[in-house]
């Protein structure tokens, strides 16, 4: 028997409209799943009472017939989003006890569309990480784990795990260098990072402002389309949000991809690329070819500089953004003999190791003596990477790559704990897209021989999410990954 938690958002909306079940019933099932699967550590704050109240209001709206587009759909919210009256911590001790007085634009839009919020989801501290292990609440367990507990990916690990384990209908995520796409791939779910500027960053705690973007993580491509439509749009409160039309993303699903040109970047197939991942990549290309798409070889020659550039620019912006956590304004305060002491004590206790590392790197590359050598250079490389994509997109409409060079690895993996660079290397396929500000979706394509999900990434031109949705829906239909 299918449970209500098995339904996609599109299916649930139908059931709600036809009064087959109520929003309260749907919400209660998700609350049950949250309780049953607490061991995954996906939620850091649960708000079942508020969710039920919202669901009751939704049921009333269905009765009156003035239901909104996501009326009664229970969502999980990454803890990086400020939610009014609900603890929002970025999974950092420094925001211990912080309860925002305002709502982020993206979550407000979801509320206005009738969604209800089940709680706040675990993540890497301030979204810095790729395994959800830097969270002050501890790691999220990947629902696909067997004997050994595996990471859910990061930084939106709680979001991906909660969707995968059906502890919410869908979730919000954010992506600075891969944080929506990589955990989606690790957990066998679908997530899209839209074009930079598509969603407002207002009320999302800043990590690297020129890279941060919100996006949905959902059970399938259609649900991503439904959610992204609601989450997108110009916002006067975010000067980098783009004043462009928001198309009905759902309308592109199932459209023909005949003649669509799919770019395959040579640089993304280094020697030693995991064979299974390479073979699923080829299978994906075959599927698209069989539907009449044309495969074109492209080159993104500056790919090898993307990781170093990202790991200069992101920490530089982070070091500046995180200067506001001084013990005076939000969350934690650890007293000291005088003001400077208080700053030092608060930041020493409040930030975890990875966040401190990034603040140190960031302040270093921005310091007077090194600014030109590192930060300015990285900015120039960023432009070259963007130009690579621009050139490539003269030859193709979308680009297909793997999402990650690896599948989910064990929690506490030594090689990555001992040398953070090994963790950073996992971001190889996602950071260039972020540096170029492009839209990209990760969707599950199949399982490894170990039974772990593998994801493919569809990259589009700026504000051409349409082509991404078109391509992804074709792949999804052919891959028949299903909702295993
Ligand atoms: N893993 C990358 C990092 O650690 C990306 C994180 C993100 O997208 N928020 O910075």
């Amino acid at each position: 028997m299918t449970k209500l938690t098995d339904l996609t958002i599109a299916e649930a909306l139908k059931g709600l409209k036809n009064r087959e079940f109520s929003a309260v019933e749907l919400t209660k099932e998700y609350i049950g799943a949250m309780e049953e699967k607490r061991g995954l550590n996906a939620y850091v704050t649960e708000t079942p009472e508020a969710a039920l109240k919202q669901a009751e209001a939704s049921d009333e709206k269905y009765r009156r017939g003035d239901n909104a587009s996501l009326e009664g759909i229970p969502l999980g919210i990454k803890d990086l989003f400020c939610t009014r009256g609900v603890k929002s911590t970025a999974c950092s001790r420094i925001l211990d006890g912080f309860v925002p007085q305002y709502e982020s634009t993206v979550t407000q839009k979801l509320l206005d569309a009738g969604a209800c919020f089940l709680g706040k989801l675990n993540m890497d501290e301030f979204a810095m990480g790729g395994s959800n292990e830097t969270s002050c609440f501890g790691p999220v367990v990947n629902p696909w784990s067997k004997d050994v507990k595996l990471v859910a990916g990061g930084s939106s690990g709680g979001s991906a795990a909660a969707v995968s384990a059906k502890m919410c209908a869908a979730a919000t995520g954010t992506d600075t260098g891969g944080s929506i796409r990589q955990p989606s791939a690790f957990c066998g779910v679908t997530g899209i990072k839209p074009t930079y500027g598509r969603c407002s960053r207002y009320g999302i705690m800043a990590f690297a402002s020129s890279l941060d973007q919100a996006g949905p993580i959902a059970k399938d491509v259609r649900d991503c389309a439904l959610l992204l439509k609601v989450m997108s749009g110009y916002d006067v409160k975010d000067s980098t949000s783009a004043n462009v039309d928001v198309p009905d993303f759902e309308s592109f699903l199932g459209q023909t991809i005949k003649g669509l040109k799919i770019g395959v970047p040579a640089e993304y197939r280094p020697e030693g690329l995991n064979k299974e991942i390479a073979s699923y990549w080829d299978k994906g290309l075959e599927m698209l070819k069989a539907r009449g798409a044309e495969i074109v070889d492209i080159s993104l020659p500056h790919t090898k500089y993307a990781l170093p550039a990202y790991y200069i620019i992101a920490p530089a912006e982070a070091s500046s953004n995180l200067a506001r956590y001084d013990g005076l304004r939000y969350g934690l305060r650890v007293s000291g003999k005088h003001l400077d002491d208080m700053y030092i004590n608060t930041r020493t206790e409040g930030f975890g190791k990875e966040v401190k590392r990034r603040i140190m790197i960031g302040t270093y590359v921005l310091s007077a003596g090194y600014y030109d050598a590192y930060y300015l250079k990285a900015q120039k490389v960023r432009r070259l990477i963007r130009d690579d994509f621009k050139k490539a997109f003269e030859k193709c409409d979308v680009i297909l790559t793997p999402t990650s060079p690896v599948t989910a690895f064990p929690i506490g993996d030594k090689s990555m704990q001992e040398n953070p660079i090994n963790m950073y290397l996992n971001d190889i396929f996602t950071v260039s897209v972020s540096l170029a500000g492009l839209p990209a979706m990760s969707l599950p394509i199949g399982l490894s021989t170990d039974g772990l999900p593998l994801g493919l990434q569809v990259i589009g031109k700026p504000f051409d999410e349409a082509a991404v949705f078109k391509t992804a829906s074709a792949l999804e239909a052919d891959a028949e990954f299903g909702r295993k």
Side-chain angles (χ1 to χ4, degrees):
M1 198 188 85
T2 43
K3 292 194 207 151
L4 295 183
T5 50
D6 290 331
L7 302 176
T8 62
I9 292 179
E11 292 163 348
L13 285 171
K14 240 186 238 151
L16 286 166
K17 261 173 228 153
N18 298 336
R19 312 289 293 276
E20 287 161 31
F21 47 84
S22 68
V24 167
E25 283 169 316
L26 181 64
T27 306
K28 277 191 177 154
E29 274 218 27
Y30 278 112
I31 293 170
M34 287 162 71
E35 285 167 1
E36 197 186 308
K37 294 168 187 170
R38 281 213 180 103
L40 297 179
N41 202 24
Y43 281 89
V44 295
T45 302
E46 297 181 3
T47 55
E49 297 88 10
L52 283 171
K53 241 172 118 184
Q54 287 167 290
E56 270 167 34
S58 290
D59 281 331
E60 183 54 36
K61 290 204 177 142
Y62 276 110
R63 272 191 285 275
R64 291 202 307 257
D66 63 354
N67 44 291
S69 69
L70 293 176
E71 198 70 60
I73 298 299
L75 302 177
I77 304 298
K78 187 178 184 179
D79 208 29
L80 202 62
F81 290 80
C82 286
T83 41
R84 192 187 297 114
V86 177
K87 239 190 321 179
S88 305
T89 70
C91 293
S92 178
R93 256 190 296 274
I94 208 146
L95 279 168
D96 191 23
F98 174 59
V99 178
Q101 314 247 342
Y102 59 95
E103 192 73 36
S104 85
T105 296
V106 163
T107 48
Q108 186 63 54
K109 280 172 177 283
L110 291 168
L111 289 171
D112 293 344
C116 66
F117 294 167
L118 295 163
K120 304 300 287 288
L121 293 161
N122 205 345
M123 54 178 283
D124 279 299
E125 183 178 6
F126 282 107
M128 298 177 196
S131 63
N132 212 118
E133 293 173 290
T134 70
S135 164
C136 75
F137 298 104
V140 174
V141 179
N142 191 314
W144 291 79
S145 306
K146 285 165 205 124
D147 322 328
V148 180
K149 285 186 178 164
L150 305 175
V151 301
S155 67
S156 311
S159 305
V163 174
S164 176
K166 296 164 185 172
M167 302 160 80
C168 56
T172 62
T174 65
D175 191 312
T176 303
S179 277
I180 287 176
R181 294 161 280 159
Q182 184 255 30
S184 295
F186 278 20
C187 293
V189 294
T190 306
I192 179 167
K193 177 200 97 74
T195 310
Y196 183 80
R198 182 64 96 180
C199 293
S200 167
R201 290 180 298 109
Y202 177 77
I204 300 173
M205 293 156 201
F207 163 13
S209 310
S210 75
L211 298 159
D212 299 344
Q213 258 302 285
I217 296 182
K219 289 171 181 162
D220 67 3
V221 175
R222 183 172 303 275
D223 284 3
C224 279
L226 291 172
L227 286 166
L228 187 60
K229 176 152 188 3
V230 172
M231 294 164 73
S232 299
Y234 174 66
D235 180 12
V236 285
K237 293 185 199 143
D238 172 6
S239 61
T240 62
S241 89
N243 202 346
V244 293
D245 281 346
V246 178
D248 179 8
F249 299 114
E250 203 186 358
S251 70
F252 306 113
L253 308 183
Q255 278 190 8
T256 176
I257 55 161
K258 214 172 158 139
L260 201 75
K261 292 196 179 76
I262 317 285
V264 185
E267 293 78 6
Y268 281 52
R269 202 185 280 267
E271 234 176 277
L273 174 66
N274 176 310
K275 287 216 171 64
E276 280 190 296
I277 290 174
S279 121
Y280 269 110
W281 186 10
D282 291 337
K283 273 185 208 161
L285 290 168
E286 282 307 315
M287 290 170 191
L288 297 174
K289 214 168 136 188
R291 285 177 180 253
E294 195 185 314
I295 312 298
V296 271
D297 289 325
I298 56 164
S299 174
L300 300 167
H302 295 91
T303 298
K304 59 176 177 287
Y305 304 116
L307 274 176
Y310 172 84
Y311 277 99
I312 288 171
I313 292 168
E317 294 185 20
S319 71
S320 166
N321 276 325
L322 269 55
R324 75 191 65 178
Y325 304 106
D326 55 7
L328 287 171
R329 283 171 282 196
Y330 326 85
L332 183 77
R333 175 182 303 172
V334 183
S335 57
K337 276 194 261 40
H338 42 71
L339 187 64
D340 277 356
D341 259 7
M342 189 279 288
Y343 289 155
I344 292 168
N345 294 345
T346 301
R347 289 171 68 85
T348 302
E349 274 192 37
F351 290 132
K353 198 166 141 194
E354 181 62 24
V355 171
K356 280 181 191 150
R357 177 168 22 239
R358 304 229 184 167
I359 294 174
M360 296 291 286
I361 295 171
T363 44
Y364 180 82
V365 299
L366 289 174
S367 60
Y370 297 98
Y371 185 92
D372 289 1
Y374 293 105
Y375 183 70
L376 199 63
K377 190 66 150 272
Q379 292 287 30
K380 288 180 181 170
V381 171
R382 181 177 188 173
R383 171 57 64 95
L384 293 173
I385 287 168
R386 197 199 66 161
D387 290 348
D388 278 358
F389 278 106
K390 233 181 165 172
K391 253 211 178 127
F393 278 127
E394 285 168 10
K395 286 172 66 182
C396 63
D397 303 299
V398 293
I399 296 171
L400 188 75
T401 75
T403 306
S404 168
V406 292
T407 51
F409 45 85
I411 291 174
D413 187 298
K414 262 226 190 83
S415 72
M416 289 180 230
Q417 298 303 321
E418 278 162 11
N419 185 356
I421 290 179
N422 290 332
M423 184 78 81
Y424 301 167
L425 286 172
N426 293 335
D427 302 335
I428 182 76
F429 297 143
T430 48
V431 291
S432 299
V433 169
S434 298
L435 289 168
L438 305 172
M441 175 180 274
S442 176
L443 76 158
I445 188 76
L447 293 179
S448 70
T449 41
D450 297 339
L452 295 177
L454 295 168
L456 286 186
Q457 171 175 238
V458 184
I459 307 167
K461 298 174 189 171
F463 297 105
D464 191 13
E465 281 85 358
V468 174
F469 275 108
K470 236 192 259 182
T471 312
S473 76
L475 280 172
E476 180 181 59
D478 292 344
E480 287 178 351
F481 180 83
R483 281 171 274 139
K484 291 202 175 90

